[in-house]
Each structure stands twice: as structure tokens, then as C-alpha cells.
Amino acid sequence: MATLRPNRIKQKLATGELAYVVSGLTNADDIDTFGPLGFDGVWLEGEHGRVGPAQLGNLTRACDLWGMTPLVRVNRNDQGIIYRTLDCGAMGIAMPHVNTKEEAQNVVDGAKFAPLGHRGMYTSRQGYGVDNYFAEANSQTLLVVLVEDIAAVNNLDEILSVEHIDVFFVAPSDLATSMGHIGNFEHPEVQGTIDETLARIQAVGRVAGTLTTNATVEKYVQAGVRFLMTGVGNWISAGAAAYKRAAENAT
């Protein structure tokens, strides 16, 4: 019998290591190009991007080839959407706008098979030929809830009490908007709230995650953040600008 692919992000977080996750890869060829660079997971964008069930087969297979965890941000906290996404080959769910304990529990209920949750009984593409798949899937499915509204910050203690969630991810842009600072997540009030929220997550022994860049990743690692997500957009912009500067400086 085949064995279920290990969830690399979950493995690294379980041993206290840093988990590196990249967003902004939109097709299988991009994932293949990025594969050798040593990241642990790919954040596939199904909330703001075009990723849906029809694309997930090829995208998740490309992740599998490189041992990277395919993590999908879905667009609604609906149990059917959650387990369909997993059935199509995802190994993790990132859920936006989780503002209450009940909403956090709904993510668990949709993503975990009984007795932990209510996921519909179906063998995912990841489970073909895997003995005891339903029990194994529960141990390898990664769950990330996004704390991206001030309402979630206000309800954080209750949200953190929900079991079987792997990462509590503080999302800066929507949090800033909910605090009245649209487009300005660098506002001191927003940054203070982010730092305080990350500390509160870790104070109760849960794993914190957030968006990082080359300029901020050192700060967040020093603050104890272990789930590090970054986007390729900033790298592309910075690299393109540096290339043009080099050419223009040579003239």
C-alpha cells in the first residue's frame, strides 16, 4: 500500500522549526521552477485569486513533486468548500476572517474526519491507495485561521481555545482596514496590535504566523513567529528595479 505524503509544514512546526511558505505562484510550471529552493509550502490563492477545484489537481501535484505542502486559502467558511478543497488534493486550509470561536470550530469540523470533525467521507486524491487514510488524513491536514479583523483580536482568547488548529495567522492589511487605517498597515496602532496579537498567541502555546518580507522577516523570527509567509510579488518588483538601476548606472 502507498503511504500518505507527510505534511512538511506540520512536521516542521511540530519540532519547533521555521516553516517557509510562498504565495503568488499561480500555475504548475511556476511551482516547478520554485521547487528546488527549499520552501516548505505553497499558499494557493482561492479567496482573491482564480484557484478553484478545476486547477487544484495540477497545482497540488506540482507541490507533491517537490515535497511542498499545498495550502489553499478558500473564500468562505463553508464545510463543503473546505472538504472539497481537501478532496481535490490540498493538504491544508487557510480560512480568512475567523472572528469567533464558533467560526474557528467550523473550520475544524469541515476539515477533520470523525471523531474530530464532520468532513464528508471520501478518499482524497492524496489518499489513493493509502491504508487507514481517514485516520492518517486527520494527522496530516494543516489548518490555518486568519486573524484579520479587530473583532477577532477582541475575541482572541476564545478563538485560541479551539483545538486542532495549527496556525493563527495575523493578516496585516485587512486588520488595518478594520481599525480604520485602510491601506496603511504600517500605522503605529496597527503594528502595535499585530505585535501584541502575535505575543498573545504564543503566550498560550499556540503557533503564530504572519506575512513577512525580506525587510521584516528577521523582526518576526526574533518575536517567535514560526509560520513565515511571503509573496513573490515583492521579490519580482525589487529584482526588476535593481536590474534597471544596474543597467542605467552603466550608461
Side-chain angles (χ1 to χ4, degrees):
M1 298 292 289
T3 57
L4 187 62
R5 294 175 184 86
N7 190 311
R8 188 158 141 190
I9 296 174
K10 281 182 71 83
Q11 284 185 327
K12 294 192 75 174
L13 294 177
T15 56
E17 298 176 78
L18 301 176
Y20 300 100
V21 180
V22 65
S23 69
L25 304 179
T26 60
N27 63 65
D29 289 338
D30 287 344
I31 293 170
D32 281 336
T33 300
F34 199 86
L37 301 182
F39 269 57
D40 304 301
V42 178
W43 180 295
L44 299 169
E45 189 52 68
E47 181 190 15
H48 298 294
R50 64 181 181 177
V51 173
Q55 292 80 36
L56 279 175
N58 285 335
L59 292 170
T60 59
R61 285 187 192 95
C63 291
D64 292 346
L65 286 173
W66 296 100
M68 295 189 293
T69 300
L71 170 67
V72 180
R73 175 158 65 171
V74 297
N75 65 349
R76 191 167 69 250
N77 195 347
D78 178 285
Q79 291 188 25
I81 291 174
I82 292 168
Y83 62 70
R84 185 185 191 190
T85 301
L86 295 169
D87 289 345
C88 290
M91 296 191 74
I93 297 290
M95 184 60 67
H97 298 289
V98 174
N99 292 331
T100 67
K101 176 180 180 179
E102 291 75 20
E103 290 172 356
Q105 184 62 52
N106 194 66
V107 179
V108 176
D109 289 343
K112 301 290 187 178
F113 292 113
L116 301 183
H118 307 299
R119 179 176 171 184
M121 298 297 288
Y122 184 82
T123 301
S124 159
R125 182 184 68 75
Q126 296 284 359
Y128 294 154
V130 176
D131 190 30
N132 200 24
Y133 167 70
F134 299 110
E136 290 296 316
N138 277 350
S139 69
Q140 294 299 324
T141 299
L142 175 79
L143 298 183
V144 179
V145 299
L146 273 65
V147 177
E148 53 184 340
D149 298 286
I150 195 63
V153 175
N154 293 337
N155 294 326
L156 188 62
D157 290 342
E158 291 188 355
I159 295 171
L160 291 171
S161 72
V162 177
E163 296 182 359
H164 308 299
I165 293 172
D166 299 283
V167 178
F168 297 83
F169 185 96
V170 183
S173 294
D174 282 295
L175 180 59
T177 298
S178 74
M179 296 175 66
H181 301 293
I182 186 169
N184 186 18
F185 65 82
E186 294 184 354
H187 189 281
E189 182 183 6
V190 178
Q191 286 296 305
T193 301
I194 291 171
D195 293 344
E196 178 184 350
T197 304
L198 292 170
R200 289 173 63 191
I201 292 166
Q202 296 172 82
V204 295
R206 308 305 295 268
V207 175
T210 196
L211 174 66
T212 64
T213 65
N214 287 17
T216 64
V217 66
E218 183 176 356
K219 166 193 170 181
Y220 287 119
V221 170
Q222 290 175 347
V225 176
R226 292 193 283 121
F227 181 97
L228 304 169
M229 193 269 269
T230 193
V232 297
N234 287 332
W235 292 338
I236 292 170
S237 298
Y243 177 84
K244 288 180 67 178
R245 281 196 304 271
E248 290 162 2
N249 290 340
T251 58

